[in-house]
Amino acid sequence: MTVIKLSSGVNSTMVLIRSFLIIVFWLSIPVYASLPTTPLRVAVAANFAPVLEKLLPQFTQQSQIPVQIISGASGTLYLQINHGAPFDVFLSADDSRPKKLQADNLTLTNTLETYAYGQLALWSAVDKLSLAKLSKIIKNNRLAISNPNTAPYGKAAKETLETLKLWQHVQNKLITGININQTFQQVRSQAVNFGLVANSQLVLNQLTGTVIPSEYHQPIRQQLVILKSSKQQTNAIKFSQFLLSDKIQQQIQQLGYALNLDKKKNNNEQLK
């Protein structure tokens, strides 16, 4: 398994070009030479990359299909796909970008699926927190969130603060990360004392925060698509089926994600 991490300046042409060149460079290097096939190239949102790394050995052992992970902000990966980046599968942190790719006829038919529901959590590396304390905390402290304009977890953080009627009061207190991974590192390093991060980051690092109630923000529905340009569509379908299998869905939930409501709904409909 090879992992490539990209910079995430969605609005920067230079970052887009640089990250695209990084992809081309790395994709030219042989990966898993001992395996008979070209690696499946999976573009994955930053929040899910560590979870995917944990799950992938099961897929590789089961299928003998090598996988190359390219992780970055969903917005950056989306732009790269639109510019012809040679990915096979796209795992976004939201549902809007996969649907846009589908609308633009860039995806394989009937491959749009929800693979996870994200959970937001309030966390500090220096103090135990509760939502009840948040209004008092932000009076004298900065708060880290990811960019609400480009990062799905940042959008959920903004919606949470609006629900708590705190958004207008925290404008000059916010430290905005380019993606949820940067926000987590800002809090973990104690550069910022408090932050709204992905619950999966806490679970993976054996940390505990306060999970934000799902009704405080719009669902963080994380969807995947298989790209029409993929030369490995059969392997990509096998990968999608692996992620959506009951066994792996249970593991994803244990790693800090909410119950996949879309899959539960589909299962119930099949039983009717």
Side-chain angles (χ1 to χ4, degrees):
M1 174 180 62
T2 302
V3 181
I4 304 170
K5 297 181 180 179
L6 303 178
S7 299
S8 309
V10 178
N11 297 320
S12 170
T13 302
M14 289 304 297
V15 169
L16 179 61
I17 294 172
R18 189 183 307 117
S19 55
F20 183 80
L21 290 174
I22 291 172
I23 292 169
V24 172
F25 170 76
W26 276 100
L27 296 184
S28 67
I29 299 174
V31 179
Y32 277 107
S34 60
L35 294 175
T37 56
T38 302
L40 189 70
R41 291 148 186 164
V42 178
V44 57
N47 80 91
F48 196 73
V51 174
L52 186 58
E53 289 175 37
K54 198 173 184 69
L55 298 173
L56 267 183
Q58 297 176 68
F59 175 71
T60 304
Q61 183 178 21
Q62 168 186 312
S63 66
Q64 292 301 299
I65 298 171
V67 176
Q68 187 175 55
I69 296 175
I70 303 92
S71 71
S74 296
T76 301
L77 297 171
Y78 168 78
L79 288 177
Q80 289 167 351
I81 291 168
N82 272 301
H83 283 78
F87 303 143
D88 298 299
V89 185
F90 175 40
L91 275 64
S92 183
D94 62 10
D95 56 1
S96 63
R97 292 177 179 92
K99 287 175 180 174
K100 287 178 183 177
L101 292 173
Q102 180 178 256
D104 291 339
N105 201 30
L106 294 176
T107 66
L108 199 62
T109 305
N110 296 326
T111 61
L112 179 68
E113 298 281 0
T114 302
Y115 66 91
Y117 267 80
Q119 289 186 304
L120 194 67
L122 177 65
W123 180 63
S124 170
V126 298
D127 194 8
K128 290 186 178 180
L129 294 178
S130 67
L131 285 177
K133 293 181 180 179
L134 187 56
S135 59
K136 294 180 179 179
I137 288 168
I138 60 176
K139 288 181 180 179
N140 300 306
N141 292 277
R142 295 175 299 170
L143 180 72
I145 68 170
S146 51
N147 189 335
N149 297 318
T150 58
Y153 281 81
K155 179 174 177 287
K158 178 181 179 181
E159 290 169 350
T160 295
L161 292 168
E162 287 175 335
T163 298
L164 295 170
K165 303 188 184 306
L166 296 174
W167 179 248
Q168 296 302 323
H169 303 289
V170 299
Q171 297 300 300
N172 62 344
K173 305 277 188 181
L174 292 178
I175 303 298
T176 305
I178 53 179
N179 60 39
I180 197 65
N181 281 359
Q182 186 183 72
T183 296
F184 175 67
Q185 291 302 328
Q186 288 170 333
V187 183
R188 191 177 194 182
S189 67
Q190 299 181 28
V192 186
N193 286 336
F194 309 96
L196 287 164
V197 302
N199 186 51
S200 60
Q201 294 168 318
L202 302 181
V203 173
L204 281 167
N205 290 280
Q206 299 181 325
L207 301 168
T208 303
T210 299
V211 176
I212 304 300
S214 59
E215 62 268 23
Y216 282 33
H217 57 77
Q218 292 297 310
I220 308 175
R221 180 183 288 110
Q222 303 193 194
Q223 293 194 322
L224 68 83
V225 285
I226 297 172
L227 300 174
K228 184 181 287 188
S229 59
S230 170
K231 300 296 190 292
Q232 298 200 70
Q233 293 181 1
T234 299
N235 286 347
I237 290 171
K238 290 180 180 178
F239 173 79
S240 175
Q241 291 172 340
F242 166 79
L243 273 187
L244 297 172
S245 68
D246 290 342
K247 176 184 176 182
I248 299 304
Q249 283 293 302
Q250 186 177 8
Q251 291 180 36
I252 290 173
Q253 194 175 341
Q254 290 169 349
L255 290 169
Y257 290 83
L259 176 67
N260 189 336
L261 299 176
D262 293 359
K263 192 170 191 303
K264 182 180 179 182
K265 178 181 177 182
N266 291 339
N267 288 343
N268 288 340
E269 289 176 349
Q270 290 173 6
L271 293 173
K272 290 180 181 179

